[in-house]
Amino acid sequence: MTAQFVAKIIAFVLYLGVMIFVGLRNASKNNSSADFFLGGRKVGPWVTALSAEASDSSAWLLMGLPGLCYLGGIQESIWTAVGLIAGTYLSWLFVAKPLRKCSIAFGDSITIPEFLSNRFNDKTHLLSIVSVFFIVLFFTIYTASGFVACAKLFNSVFGINYHAGLAIGIVVILCYTVTGGYTAVCTTDFIQGSLIFIAFVVSTVIAVFAIGGFGETANIFQNFQAVAGTELQAFNGMGIVSALAWGLGYFGMPHIIVRFMGIRSNTEIGKARRIGIIWMVISYIGAILIGTIGVVYLKKYGITLDSVSAETVFSETMQNMYPAFIAGIFLCAILAASMSTADSQLLAASSAVSQDIFKGLIKKDAEEKDVLTVSRFTVFLISLIALLLSLNPKSSIFSLVSFAWSGFGGTFGPLVLLALYWKRTTAPGAIAGLLCGGIVDVIWHYIPASVSPIFGLYEIVPAFVACLVVTVIVSLCTKQSEEVAAKFEEYKKMAD
């Protein structure tokens, strides 16, 4: 065992120890389900912003996106980044403040299914059941991508068996998610978001100057086809639309928009938005640069990655750029990205099951400790299923995230927007739209483009449109509750 190897282990142990400590330290603060799932709506703008963006970006920002650039997909990466940044900004602008107000006005809701049920006055509880089903389904897939990233990271850095690395990542994520709840998740996400930001800024600057400065970097972009040894993907209009459509996902991501509900005050949303957007722009530029110039940088060390290992371009670059301990710290950024998303998703999914199904339907008089017990059990169960989905070492982080992202954006996105801005939306309309959006998304995903070019379009687009149109049509054909209409008017008049 070399000194460099030991230094990396020390860096990782220190980092993982801090994450677990944060979880244990916040365990005593969870006196109610509102504390565990929403932090008592007491989270400040800095933590809210970095937590939202860190839990959004996931491991695909440090592995999936750079890997795509490394293999020649720079055009897709750039258009996707533009779509995501635009979607983030619009979500902060049009969803954040109204959602916090509306969730308080309609029963002080603390989960997205609870909010939708209260907003549309669903007496049948069918909306909650369908919402929780899709949340658990897509979060399980999304969580699997984080587990895959942890396993690939440990395998790349320490040579640990893929499945052993999988086990280590899962254990740490479970430790602080189960004990600490929302406050712990937000705090660790803030730390992880800061680490990701620093890693990208410092590493990108070093890499740029290592290969000859900004002029040479510009030449690499212009001649990327020759440098990478691969053909740039032919990117037509449909490809651009598909990449930009990633931005639609932000309107319906439960683990992201719940951050809007938990912020301390509506007056702090503007500040949080600016912080989050700056973080995103710089981080995405860093991801694209590392993935692209990493081709040239790694060749200096005789390293060439194939299609399977391309997603480790960031970790390989870090290991050749820094002394072992510093490299270990920055490599924790990948672990941070994986963990910050997985913990948020597990918490959002478990809150949906325990709060909306267990307490909402099965045992309405359940005590707070029982709700928290069910929530923690759900975290373990979803983790187990996600583990099974991530057992294949050839699993693609980008593909897993893409499917889960479209599922949430195409099902919940239109409903959230309609809930906040269209008084006439009804419960039957919401249920029909949710079902239609989810079904279209899954079916579209599995139909190959060889059947027809139209199926090459990212499934979030047809799913989003189907959900929106069906919700509007069914709502217009069904009667709206006068009570809900009056409550909606009250919400619109609430002070910011």
Side-chain angles (χ1 to χ4, degrees):
M1 187 178 295
T2 65
Q4 290 81 2
F5 188 83
V6 172
K8 291 177 188 176
I9 290 179
I10 293 173
F12 270 72
V13 169
L14 286 174
Y15 172 77
L16 296 176
V18 169
M19 295 301 100
I20 293 175
F21 170 76
V22 170
L24 294 174
R25 186 172 181 272
N26 284 279
S28 61
K29 299 180 181 180
N30 298 314
N31 300 314
S32 67
S33 55
D35 290 333
F36 189 78
F37 298 135
L38 210 58
R41 299 187 193 267
K42 300 174 183 176
V43 182
W46 277 92
V47 174
T48 296
L50 290 193
S51 174
E53 304 314 332
S55 62
D56 144 40
S57 299
S58 75
W60 86 277
L61 176 63
L62 288 97
M63 299 186 78
L65 192 63
L68 183 63
C69 290
Y70 184 92
L71 294 174
I74 187 170
Q75 292 191 48
E76 181 178 356
S77 301
I78 290 176
W79 282 111
T80 300
V82 170
L84 288 169
I85 292 171
T88 300
Y89 180 80
L90 293 175
S91 180
W92 275 103
L93 191 63
F94 293 112
V95 175
K97 189 177 294 186
L99 179 59
R100 187 179 186 277
K101 288 168 55 179
C102 198
S103 64
I104 293 173
F106 284 86
D108 199 17
S109 308
I110 61 176
T111 69
I112 298 304
E114 182 183 20
F115 164 67
L116 293 176
S117 293
N118 290 342
R119 165 64 181 85
F120 301 125
N121 194 29
D122 177 32
K123 302 295 186 180
T124 67
H125 300 292
L126 188 57
L127 183 56
S128 283
I129 294 172
V130 176
S131 297
V132 172
F133 171 78
F134 282 124
I135 283 177
V136 172
L137 171 64
F138 291 119
F139 268 147
T140 301
I141 297 171
Y142 213 146
T143 302
S145 72
F147 291 169
V148 169
C150 288
K152 287 188 175 184
L153 174 64
F154 286 121
N155 178 259
S156 171
V157 177
F158 300 114
I160 296 176
N161 176 273
Y162 175 87
H163 297 103
L166 200 61
I168 294 173
I170 291 173
V171 168
V172 174
I173 291 171
L174 287 178
C175 278
Y176 70 81
T177 303
V178 169
T179 56
Y182 185 86
T183 304
V185 165
C186 283
T187 304
T188 53
D189 284 357
F190 173 80
I191 296 170
Q192 292 160 347
S194 302
L195 180 59
I196 292 169
F197 183 84
I198 294 170
F200 268 136
V201 171
V202 176
S203 302
T204 300
V205 171
I206 291 177
V208 166
F209 283 101
I211 63 172
F214 292 103
E216 185 60 30
T217 302
N219 290 333
I220 290 175
F221 271 84
Q222 294 173 2
N223 304 291
F224 190 69
Q225 179 175 349
V227 173
T230 59
E231 295 183 0
L232 274 173
Q233 296 178 354
F235 225 58
N236 53 25
M238 186 177 294
I240 293 175
V241 171
S242 294
L244 289 174
W246 277 73
L248 292 174
Y250 280 101
F251 300 115
M253 291 292 146
H255 64 298
I256 298 174
I257 59 178
V258 75
R259 298 297 194 273
F260 303 153
M261 295 162 59
I263 195 169
R264 188 167 50 204
S265 167
N266 274 350
T267 59
E268 296 179 321
I269 286 177
K271 180 178 180 180
R273 180 178 66 243
R274 291 189 291 272
I275 295 168
I277 293 300
I278 292 172
W279 185 96
M280 276 199 76
V281 170
I282 294 177
S283 296
Y284 276 83
I285 290 174
I288 292 172
L289 282 173
I290 288 294
T292 305
I293 64 181
V295 177
V296 177
Y297 188 85
L298 291 179
K299 277 187 176 180
K300 292 171 54 179
Y301 300 93
I303 299 173
T304 301
L305 305 175
D306 57 23
S307 59
V308 176
S309 59
E311 291 186 326
T312 64
V313 58
F314 181 83
S315 63
E316 291 291 344
T317 302
M318 296 301 100
Q319 292 183 79
N320 286 280
M321 183 179 289
Y322 300 107
F325 182 77
I326 301 299
I329 293 295
F330 280 153
L331 285 172
C332 286
I334 299 178
L335 195 59
S338 307
M339 293 165 63
S340 62
T341 302
D343 59 16
S344 299
Q345 292 159 351
L346 287 170
L347 189 64
S350 67
S351 66
V353 173
S354 59
Q355 189 74 15
D356 302 302
I357 299 299
F358 177 68
K359 187 174 182 178
L361 298 177
I362 299 174
K363 191 177 181 181
K364 295 185 178 182
D365 59 345
E367 296 181 2
E368 295 292 344
K369 64 177 182 180
D370 295 327
V371 175
L372 297 182
T373 299
V374 171
S375 175
R376 286 163 175 151
F377 174 77
T378 304
V379 168
F380 281 110
L381 184 60
I382 293 175
S383 297
L384 178 60
I385 299 173
L387 169 63
L388 297 176
L389 294 176
S390 56
L391 288 175
N392 183 4
K394 295 183 179 180
S395 299
S396 168
I397 298 168
F398 194 89
S399 296
L400 288 169
V401 171
S402 175
F403 186 21
W405 188 268
S406 69
F408 283 123
T411 53
F412 291 99
L415 290 190
V416 170
L417 291 173
L418 290 172
L420 300 177
Y421 290 100
W422 193 41
K423 180 173 65 174
R424 185 66 181 77
T425 314
T426 65
I431 295 168
L434 191 63
L435 283 169
C436 190
I439 292 170
V440 169
D441 182 82
V442 173
I443 292 176
W444 199 281
H445 176 79
Y446 285 106
I447 297 178
S450 57
V451 174
S452 172
I454 189 63
F455 291 109
L457 182 67
Y458 186 25
E459 58 265 25
I460 195 173
V461 177
F464 192 97
V465 172
C467 179
L468 181 64
V469 171
V470 170
T471 302
V472 170
I473 292 175
V474 176
S475 292
L476 291 174
C477 295
T478 53
K479 185 179 180 180
Q480 186 192 38
S481 164
E482 293 182 3
E483 177 187 349
V484 174
K487 199 72 175 176
F488 185 87
E489 291 298 330
E490 289 181 21
Y491 137 68
K492 296 297 288 185
K493 294 176 182 178
M494 286 177 64
D496 291 339

